[in-house]
């Protein structure tokens, strides 16, 4: 077994869902050791949390700048190799930029930055750095999503002509209808979240799944948002018509006020031969449908699946795998890249996906504010 990769973590302390997701994912395949961190902006809470999860406190730093400064003083074979950025959105860009400029590998939560311009600056910094950069579009790690990608790549669906992706949640309902509450949530604050809440947080996942599974690029879109209240500056619901090609059209739907919905991410891809359907809340099932043949059901771990899908499957057929395993597959791909090992380009989303995501988010906002007009993506 190769020596474990030294991992630094920024953010994700306390009861953060994203924090425990990344920590568990990094442990699953035995590739990483948490070596240093700034879990929390409050140093005392930062130390207390490190002790709580049994991380040595000698490299728990008071802030991000101190982490970079102190780690660079250490010999190459001792310092942190890769940092995971799990902070609120507005901190992603400055942290990622400084890490790249100082030679660190980066694993960054999405959206990668808060603006498309920042994303392009980060892309240039990444080119100069030559290090590994991953964006954690977690759902690309599911074996059946990877199976979907490989089946489409092999031409099993025939000519693609229709895509339909949606991501419905209802969690913000408990906040948005209370004026006092909605002014206290960072996801509804453009200074911290960026220019979009719904599309920036969850709609971008649906966008990413469309491009990841089909291998195609969305060329233009027309979007309509719902803000619900005139004093709310951030979208909490939206629908985008998309054009991928002259005869390839589709829709991306996202909502944080879909009452009763939990984590309703789903994607459907239709070709002239077959269609494929996948839902995140039932992630171990992929449906293949046809006008002329009975429905086929694909499940993880079986020999009929692709190499990429099987590589991301850890258990025998019939043993459910979930979100932690999906994120772990991304961490596994990043580990291979850091070590210079051979890996499939579908193993983790890259800087390119991060830049595309910001292009998509800004295009949806521009389309809505322009009066629901068609906007081209770069």
């Amino acid at each position: 077994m190769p020596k474990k990769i030294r991992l630094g973590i920024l953010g994700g302390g306390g009861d953060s869902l994203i924090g425990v997701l990344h920590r568990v994912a990094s442990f699953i395949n035995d590739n990483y050791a948490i070596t240093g961190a700034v879990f929390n902006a409050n140093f005392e809470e930062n130390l207390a949390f490190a002790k709580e999860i049994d991380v040595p406190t000698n490299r728990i730093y008071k802030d991000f700048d101190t982490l970079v400064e102190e780690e660079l003083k250490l010999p190459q074979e001792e310092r942190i190799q890769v940092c995971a950025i799990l902070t609120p959105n507005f901190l992603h860009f400055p942290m990622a930029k400084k890490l790249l400029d100082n030679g660190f590998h980066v694993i960054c939560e999405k959206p990668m930055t808060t603006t498309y311009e920042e994303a392009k600056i980060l892309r240039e910094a990444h080119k100069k750095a030559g290090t590994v950069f991953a964006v954690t579009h977690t759902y690309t790690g599911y074996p059946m999503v990877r199976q979907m990608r490989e089946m489409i790549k092999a031409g099993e669906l025939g000519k693609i002509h229709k895509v339909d992706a949606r991501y419905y949640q209802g969690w913000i309902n408990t906040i948005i209808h209370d004026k006092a509450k909605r002014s206290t949530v960072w996801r509804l604050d453009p200074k911290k979240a960026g220019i979009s809440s719904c599309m920036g947080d969850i709609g971008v996942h649906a966008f990413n799944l469309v491009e990841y599974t089909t291998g195609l690029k969305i060329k233009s879109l027309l979007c309509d948002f719902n803000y619900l209240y005139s004093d709310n500056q951030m979208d909490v619901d939206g629908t985008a018509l998309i054009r991928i090609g002259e005869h390839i059209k589709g829709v991306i739907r996202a909502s944080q006020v879909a009452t009763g919905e939990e984590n309703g991410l789903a994607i459907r891809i239709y070709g002239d031969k077959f269609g494929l359907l996948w839902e995140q809340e039932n992630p171990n099932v992929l449906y293949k449908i046809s006008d002329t043949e009975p429905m086929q059901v694909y499940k993880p771990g079986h020999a009929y699946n692709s190499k990429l899908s099987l590589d991301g499957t850890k258990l025998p057929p019939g043993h459910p795998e979930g979100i932690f395993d999906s994120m772990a597959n991304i961490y596994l791909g990043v580990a291979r890249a850091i070590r210079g090992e051979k890996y499939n380009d579908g193993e983790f989303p890259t800087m390119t996906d991060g830049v595309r995501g910001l292009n998509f988010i800004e295009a949806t906002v521009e389309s809505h504010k322009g009066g629901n007009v068609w906007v081209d993506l770069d």
Side-chain angles (χ1 to χ4, degrees):
M1 180 73 183
K3 190 173 181 180
K4 289 188 178 182
I5 293 166
R6 297 179 295 281
L7 172 67
I9 294 184
L10 304 170
D15 60 357
S16 164
L17 165 64
I18 209 69
V20 69
L21 176 57
H22 279 260
R23 292 194 304 276
V24 172
S26 72
F27 287 133
I28 283 179
N29 291 296
D30 297 317
N31 283 306
Y32 298 86
I34 298 176
T35 305
V38 181
F39 293 115
N40 193 292
N42 180 296
F43 187 51
E44 293 305 315
E45 292 180 15
N46 189 18
L47 283 173
F49 183 71
K51 292 175 182 177
E52 181 182 330
I53 63 173
D54 199 26
V55 172
T57 58
N58 63 314
R59 284 160 79 175
I60 301 299
Y61 299 100
K62 66 177 182 178
D63 56 37
F64 167 67
D65 290 329
T66 303
L67 179 147
V68 174
E69 181 183 343
E70 293 301 315
E71 287 294 318
L72 289 175
K73 293 176 182 178
L74 298 172
Q76 189 79 39
E77 65 273 13
E78 294 180 21
R79 76 178 61 149
I80 288 170
Q81 295 168 271
V82 57
C83 271
I85 302 173
L86 318 181
T87 59
N89 299 354
F90 73 102
L91 292 171
H92 292 183
F93 171 71
M95 287 181 168
K97 177 69 163 54
K98 187 164 186 173
L99 289 168
L100 289 174
D101 289 346
N102 285 281
F104 293 91
H105 303 290
V106 178
I107 298 170
C108 187
E109 263 298 321
K110 42 65 30 205
M112 187 175 73
T113 62
T114 57
T115 70
Y116 184 37
E117 188 59 36
E118 286 177 344
K120 290 187 286 187
I121 293 170
L122 209 57
R123 180 172 60 192
E124 292 307 307
H126 179 233
K127 287 179 182 177
K128 291 179 182 177
T131 53
V132 176
F133 195 103
V135 181
T136 51
H137 281 291
T138 318
Y139 308 104
T140 62
Y142 276 114
M144 289 297 94
V145 171
R146 294 179 168 197
Q147 177 65 16
M148 198 174 191
R149 172 189 173 96
E150 295 300 288
M151 291 170 73
I152 293 172
K153 185 189 290 187
E156 290 191 36
L157 269 62
K159 185 179 180 181
I160 303 299
H161 54 236
K162 172 73 174 179
V163 301
D164 186 328
R166 61 140 167 95
Y167 202 153
Y168 283 179
Q169 296 177 340
W171 72 273
I172 223 166
N173 264 325
T174 59
I175 298 164
I176 194 69
H177 303 296
D178 185 319
K179 188 172 183 178
K181 283 185 179 179
R182 64 177 175 261
S183 64
T184 63
V185 178
W186 75 262
R187 288 201 181 278
L188 294 177
D189 181 353
K191 292 180 181 179
K192 295 180 178 180
I195 60 173
S196 170
S197 175
C198 183
M199 281 297 179
D201 183 28
I202 60 176
V204 70
H205 274 304
F207 163 81
N208 175 258
L209 272 192
V210 169
E211 295 202 335
Y212 176 82
T213 56
T214 65
L216 303 172
K217 301 298 183 186
I218 293 172
K219 295 181 178 179
S220 59
L221 59 81
L222 182 152
C223 189
D224 188 39
F225 284 157
N226 192 349
Y227 296 82
L228 288 190
Y229 295 96
S230 57
D231 67 310
N232 173 40
Q233 302 177 65
M234 304 287 275
D235 55 295
V236 291
D237 179 89
T239 301
L241 299 177
I242 58 174
R243 292 172 178 165
I244 297 175
E246 184 180 358
H247 301 296
I248 312 173
K249 308 294 177 69
V251 62
I252 291 174
R253 300 167 286 151
S255 182
Q256 295 165 323
V257 291
T259 307
E261 293 282 356
E262 296 174 341
N263 201 51
L265 173 63
I267 184 166
R268 299 173 179 231
I269 309 293
Y270 302 97
D272 60 5
K273 295 179 181 178
F274 293 97
L276 289 173
L277 297 77
W278 180 83
E279 297 180 342
Q280 194 277 154
E281 292 183 358
N282 189 21
N284 293 302
V285 178
L286 173 64
Y287 297 100
K288 183 178 180 181
I289 57 176
S290 167
D291 293 325
T292 58
E293 299 179 20
M295 176 187 289
Q296 296 180 38
V297 179
Y298 287 71
K299 289 187 172 185
H302 291 281
Y304 54 67
N305 286 314
S306 66
K307 182 178 179 181
L308 180 62
S309 175
L310 291 171
D311 181 64
T313 306
K314 299 161 200 65
L315 299 171
H319 294 75
E321 298 190 34
I323 191 73
F324 288 99
D325 305 277
S326 180
M327 181 69 88
N329 287 336
I330 291 174
Y331 268 80
L332 175 59
V334 172
R336 287 171 173 160
I338 288 173
R339 289 175 174 147
E341 300 171 2
K342 185 178 180 180
Y343 64 95
N344 186 300
D345 65 3
E347 289 191 47
F348 63 91
T350 65
M351 172 66 69
T352 299
D353 299 288
V355 174
R356 288 287 296 170
L358 267 298
N359 193 184
F360 164 76
I361 292 166
E362 290 201 355
T364 62
V365 175
E366 181 184 345
S367 173
H368 174 82
K369 291 187 174 180
N372 315 118
V373 296
W374 284 98
V375 173
D376 292 336
L377 275 69
D378 293 341

